[in-house]
Amino acid sequence: MSASKRIAVVPGDGIGKEVIAEAVKVVRATGAAVEFTEFDWSADRYLKDGTTVPANGFTMLASDFDAILVGALGDPRVPSNLHAKEILLGMRFKMDLYANVRPVRLLDAALCPLKNVRPEDVDFVVIRENTEGMYMDMGGVFKQGTPDEVATQEDINTRKGVERVIRFAFELARRQGRRKVLMCDKSNVMTYVGGLWQRAFKEVAREYAGIEAQSMYVDALCMHMVRDPRQFDVIVTNNMFGDILTDLAAALQGGLGMAASGNIHPGRTSMFEPVHGSAPPFAGKNVANPIGAILSAAMMLEYLGLEREASRIHAAVLESARQKKTTQDVGGTLGTREAGEWIANLVSS
Ligand code: NAD
Ligand code: IPM
Ligand code: MN
């Protein structure tokens, strides 16, 4: 038998702590050969001793662990959001987790705010570039505090970064038997970076003759996603557009509480987290939906080659959605712990 997979767990802040406890419970219920090690990187730790990521933290994660499971980072007591930036964006950037994979799947028609949409109508994946773009926070302020103040924020796009995420999208399409890859940009206005994305997309698409390649402006894509989500299969886009589109896409699935993600560099220690944040007003109230975190943990198991355990989690989550054994945001009456427990019980039965 192969050795246990080692998983680093960073519950983080707010509801992150509550939903991760349920995700860990559900993974344990599968009996998967995994060992969890918890890290307290969070606002609490930062406020206590000033540490965001301990020295060599990312090197340690990469060498000692097979995957990382994260809750959420963000706390009103840290208005600068410095700890979140260093921990969450730190993992994405410093561990070079260049593809943020965000599946969009409707589990039950009752969860979708759109009329006459069936589960089979909403089944696509957004691949968000995860290491560059506007998120590099390059720019500056000039003449601050004067009427002549100037602020700039650079959108950094490298040929290497763009090409590898586009190739990742085509490879995922091929692996999952999907037929279309759509590249989303705003090349009618952002002509320089848009031009780079367009050229790279056309070149990479030529290597994948069996997969249809199309591009769409981000504004039009928002409209189409709401009017007719059936047309989408794989969407690849930059860091900022991917962030915004996946909150919209989360709403199609029943809300932010349902949406899962993986921050991936193939072959390396990768990180899995729900799409939602720490939702401070809900923290500590046992009301947060744990499904996004549970499905992120299932994505992690799949990444680690534990497909059987992952599909058992998927089946149990689907059943909980159908039977409304869920939290209130998606129509149920259960608390976070009870919803997690229900799924864990089904997984272990
Ligand atoms: P948020 O995702 O925390 O919450 C927005 C709203 O979505 C909530 O008020 C709630 O109505 C709903 N929601 C989110 N998660 C839910 C869940 N599990 N169950 C039920 N409803 C849920 O976004 P926000 O309020 O903009 O951000 C709060 C903090 O979290 C900020 O500090 C932000 O920077 C941070 N954040 C972190 C991450 C992350 O760690 N990956 C992601 C997004 C936001
Ligand atoms: C997400 C979040 C993060 C992002 C924030 C918290 C930095 O919104 O994971 O979608 O913008 O990437
Ligand atoms: Mn976001």
Side-chain angles (χ1 to χ4, degrees):
M1 221 177 90
S2 65
S4 265
K5 300 290 183 188
R6 298 156 307 169
I7 303 186
V9 182
V10 180
D13 303 325
I15 64 166
K17 294 187 179 126
E18 295 165 80
V19 297
I20 287 304
E22 301 315 309
V24 167
K25 194 189 284 177
V26 170
V27 171
R28 287 214 165 102
T30 66
V34 296
E35 283 164 33
F36 293 104
T37 306
E38 196 168 307
F39 294 89
D40 66 353
W41 306 357
S42 61
D44 284 342
R45 170 82 185 268
Y46 175 61
L47 291 167
K48 199 164 66 195
D49 68 9
T51 309
T52 56
V53 178
N56 304 317
F58 298 125
T59 318
M60 177 274 298
L61 289 178
S63 62
D64 297 357
F65 293 93
D66 298 299
I68 310 162
L69 184 62
V70 172
L73 291 142
D75 188 302
R77 294 170 301 165
V78 187
S80 66
N81 213 25
L82 179 82
H83 72 298
K85 208 166 148 186
E86 294 194 355
I87 299 167
L88 184 74
L89 298 183
M91 283 180 198
R92 292 179 185 170
F93 290 6
K94 299 211 168 122
M95 300 180 77
D96 202 29
L97 306 176
Y98 67 86
N100 194 326
V101 180
R102 299 187 155 183
V104 183
R105 212 173 286 138
L106 176 62
L107 298 184
D108 191 80
L111 296 178
C112 188
L114 306 180
K115 279 180 289 190
N116 305 323
V117 170
R118 301 160 303 171
E120 57 269 37
D121 297 332
V122 181
D123 179 9
F124 60 92
V125 188
V126 179
I127 313 293
R128 162 185 180 191
E129 201 296 317
N130 216 24
T131 55
E132 20 185 85
M134 226 91 92
Y135 276 69
M136 289 184 77
D137 209 15
M138 282 177 66
V141 196
F142 183 52
K143 296 186 180 172
Q144 190 173 341
T146 74
D148 299 323
E149 182 165 348
V150 179
T152 62
Q153 195 82 42
E154 301 289 341
D155 187 4
I156 309 297
N157 294 254
T158 67
R159 173 74 199 205
K160 177 184 141 199
V162 171
E163 194 176 313
R164 69 180 179 173
V165 78
I166 291 172
R167 185 164 280 108
F168 183 100
F170 278 98
E171 286 294 325
L172 179 135
R174 183 181 268 172
R175 213 169 47 244
Q176 297 191 354
R178 293 182 180 270
R179 289 173 299 105
K180 290 191 281 191
V181 175
L182 181 146
M183 190 272 281
C184 163
D185 67 9
K186 185 73 185 172
S187 54
N188 50 346
V189 176
M190 302 171 76
T191 53
Y192 305 112
V193 300
L196 171 55
W197 276 81
Q198 287 283 343
R199 287 190 302 279
F201 185 63
K202 285 195 184 105
E203 280 172 37
V204 174
R206 266 189 235 121
E207 299 168 25
Y208 298 86
I211 298 172
E212 195 185 316
Q214 190 195 350
S215 71
M216 199 181 273
Y217 300 138
V218 64
D219 47 353
L221 179 51
C222 289
M223 182 274 292
H224 283 291
M225 209 179 260
V226 172
R227 277 189 65 95
D228 181 20
R230 292 165 195 84
Q231 62 190 290
F232 301 112
D233 216 354
V234 177
I235 296 172
V236 61
T237 191
N238 70 30
N239 210 338
M240 182 61 79
F241 295 160
D243 177 47
I244 298 166
L245 287 173
T246 51
D247 266 30
L248 177 61
L252 298 178
Q253 309 171 74
L256 271 169
M258 299 296 290
S261 80
N263 299 258
I264 292 172
H265 186 127
R268 293 201 195 164
T269 301
S270 292
M271 186 266 277
F272 299 82
E273 51 162 351
V275 173
H276 66 74
S278 56
F282 294 167
K285 297 188 174 146
N286 195 38
V287 296
N289 185 348
I291 289 181
I294 291 169
L295 291 176
S296 303
M299 281 180 82
M300 176 184 76
L301 295 182
E302 232 171 282
Y303 182 76
L304 296 173
L306 300 165
E307 284 96 356
R308 229 161 22 97
E309 289 84 348
S311 60
R312 275 170 53 205
I313 297 179
H314 278 288
V317 167
L318 182 63
E319 202 48 38
S320 80
R322 284 186 178 147
Q323 293 194 32
K324 288 203 178 352
K325 299 293 183 190
T326 59
T327 48
Q328 290 182 18
D329 54 306
V330 284
T333 56
L334 303 181
T336 307
R337 282 189 296 276
E338 293 70 25
E341 194 76 36
W342 197 91
I343 293 167
N345 283 337
L346 193 56
V347 160
S348 61
S349 66

